Amino acid sequence: MFYHVVMFKLKENSKENMEKAKGLLLAMEGEIPQLKHLVVGQDELFTGRSYDICLISGFDSKEAMDEYQVHPFHVDQVLAHLRPMLLDSKACDFSA
């Protein structure tokens, strides 16, 4: 399986914004055929090195993840609403 892990730092990490971001990401479940595994979590420790939201997504291959990246639901329904909320994001992509 090919994994795409992204950590998001919100401009404002209020409970409401964290729930909204989490909901946007979870909405992908069942909407993008290439997406085989989806876990979204909110930070619970709030340390100086913490990010606010973590997305763990799994695909059959890197090519499937590439297709997910440009899928209309991902681009128009998720990224279009999530990006304005973000201060920063970091990603790690790997096979396991």
Side-chain angles (χ1 to χ4, degrees), residues 12-55:
E12 180 187 332
N13 69 345
S14 66
K15 183 176 179 170
E16 180 180 294
N17 272 1
M18 288 178 72
E19 287 294 329
K20 180 179 178 183
K22 183 178 178 180
L24 285 168
L25 294 166
L26 287 172
M28 293 188 292
E29 194 160 38
E31 298 292 335
I32 302 172
Q34 296 85 353
L35 184 59
K36 303 299 183 187
H37 176 79
L38 177 67
V39 176
V40 179
Q42 293 176 260
D43 182 56
E44 297 178 19
L45 299 182
F46 304 103
T47 66
R49 60 185 234 165
S50 293
Y51 270 56
D52 300 310
I53 303 287
C54 183
L55 164 74

Side-chain angles (χ1 to χ4, degrees), residues 8 35 92:
F8 301 97
L35 184 59
C92 183

Side-chain angles (χ1 to χ4, degrees), residues 2 34 59-69:
F2 190 82
Q34 296 85 353
F59 306 89
D60 288 336
S61 65
K62 181 198 174 294
E63 292 75 21
M65 195 267 299
D66 291 340
E67 292 172 13
Y68 149 86
Q69 292 285 6

